Amino acid sequence: MVMPDLSVTLGRLQFRNPILVASGTFGYAREMAGIVDFSKLGGIIPKTVTQHPRAGNEPPRTVETPSGMLNSIGLDNDGIDHFIHHHLPYLRTLPTGIIANIAGESEDQFVEMAEKIGRETGLAGLELNLSCPNVAGGLDFATDPRLTGRIVERVRKVCPLPIIAKLTPNVTDIVAIARAAAEGGADAVSLVNTFVGMAVDWRRQRPILGNVTGGLSGPAIKPLALRMVWQVARQAKIPVIGIGGIANLDDVMEFLVAGASAVQLGTVNFYNPTACMRIVEKLPEALAQLGATKIKDIVGTLRT
């Protein structure tokens, strides 16, 4: 039997396989060390960091919804300097690709943080969180194509790392935003971040989340995310990393066939943190079912 080639290349990014774990769902990896074999993963994207420490939003911050989860964490973190001095030394030791994830409150903050991160060693890439729905103004960067393109272009000039633009689904035309990211010099786009939603306690006549609205993730958003990945893969010249309700092998294969070159597992990490390893183990068999020996042979092969 020919051993399949699970490696993937997205612009300047290279991973041993297409299974990554999404920012905000895997901590800074230490939290998963006792149950996940990091060497089996294509890559890890740690929790988003900001320029300065953030306390996050008012609780409650999470609520389970039908086939999904709403969160309004609000990017609580100890800031980029703490990440570099405390978390990055540990992350550098892990046997897989590490992609830092940053969120700025302004264009200049994105550039300043990217420049600082770009001076560090041991990172495979940088993901720009242009689209967090739980922070005031957080959606603005990825709803305007010109702004998206400009931020990516400015970051690319000061940071030597491969750049991934993480985009919001809360727009009318996701393809236009992806094209702008590509024109700005992004190596790939991550599709999609969470959908804005809310949950209500009608008996108390109050919203359940302290922030009123939050980001919806999990299986509930998968059909929507799949459609957006398919659209961008067909109409924008940039590699796509699929995100949205991916929890098992079938989900992964659907995204790959629809046009994603890699995927990120997110919400599933909360209730089945070993899912990523199990999916990697099953990928060769799935490729064989399609008569393929390489991941790239099945990407974007959907017939419509």
Side-chain angles (χ1 to χ4, degrees):
M1 177 181 176
V2 177
M3 291 300 293
D5 181 3
L6 301 183
S7 65
V8 295
T9 300
L10 303 86
R12 294 177 295 161
L13 289 156
Q14 293 184 326
F15 302 110
R16 68 163 59 95
N17 65 61
I19 309 302
L20 316 177
V21 288
S23 177
T25 69
F26 213 72
Y28 296 101
R30 276 190 179 93
E31 300 87 333
M32 299 294 192
I35 52 177
V36 176
D37 180 354
F38 298 137
S39 69
K40 291 188 176 181
L41 303 183
I44 294 172
I45 306 175
K47 185 171 168 53
T48 297
V49 293
T50 53
Q51 180 86 305
H52 305 292
R54 288 183 58 91
N57 291 328
E58 288 290 319
R61 293 178 171 185
T62 60
V63 58
E64 187 174 354
T65 60
S67 298
M69 179 182 78
L70 279 168
N71 92 82
S72 63
I73 305 299
L75 300 183
D76 71 318
N77 73 100
D78 293 319
I80 191 169
D81 290 333
H82 182 79
F83 172 78
I84 289 172
H85 297 299
H86 180 71
H87 295 298
L88 190 51
Y90 170 74
L91 291 167
R92 284 191 185 107
T93 69
L94 303 185
T96 188
I98 304 297
I99 302 169
N101 180 294
I102 61 172
E105 295 179 1
S106 66
E107 285 186 57
D108 289 343
Q109 275 197 8
F110 271 106
V111 175
E112 290 165 11
M113 285 191 289
E115 187 172 18
K116 186 175 288 190
I117 284 284
R119 291 195 292 263
E120 301 297 323
T121 60
L123 290 169
L126 176 64
E127 185 175 66
L128 306 179
N129 187 352
L130 300 167
S131 52
C132 180
N134 307 314
V135 180
L139 284 176
D140 298 345
F141 300 115
T143 56
D144 181 342
R146 289 171 298 179
L147 187 53
T148 296
R150 192 164 66 235
I151 291 176
V152 171
E153 183 177 11
R154 291 184 63 191
V155 164
R156 181 77 185 254
K157 288 179 180 178
V158 300
C159 181
L161 293 169
I163 305 298
I164 303 170
K166 188 170 185 178
L167 305 183
T168 177
N170 301 292
V171 293
T172 303
D173 185 2
I174 190 73
V175 174
I177 311 294
R179 282 176 175 159
E183 291 167 4
D187 291 85
V189 289
S190 294
L191 305 176
V192 292
N193 210 326
T194 55
F195 287 77
V196 178
M198 67 183 295
V200 169
D201 182 338
W202 68 266
R203 292 177 177 83
R204 294 173 55 241
Q205 296 173 279
R206 299 282 297 172
I208 294 177
L209 292 173
N211 196 50
V212 183
T213 63
L216 179 65
S217 63
I221 75 168
K222 179 187 150 190
L224 299 169
L226 199 58
R227 181 263 298 176
M228 290 185 172
V229 165
W230 173 69
Q231 285 181 312
V232 169
R234 287 170 61 235
Q235 300 178 49
K237 295 180 180 179
I238 188 168
V240 177
I241 302 174
I243 321 171
I246 300 172
N248 56 48
L249 178 67
D250 289 333
D251 296 333
V252 170
M253 296 299 289
E254 288 171 24
F255 272 86
L256 294 177
V257 168
S261 295
V263 298
Q264 292 179 23
L265 275 64
T267 300
V268 68
N269 293 320
F270 294 118
Y271 62 88
N272 185 11
T274 61
C276 49
M277 293 191 302
R278 296 176 185 175
I279 290 171
V280 171
E281 292 169 354
K282 294 177 180 178
L283 271 176
E285 180 183 346
L287 284 180
Q289 288 185 42
L290 295 181
T293 58
K294 299 177 181 178
I295 291 292
K296 68 178 184 179
D297 290 341
I298 67 168
V299 171
T301 55
L302 186 69
R303 299 189 296 270
T304 58

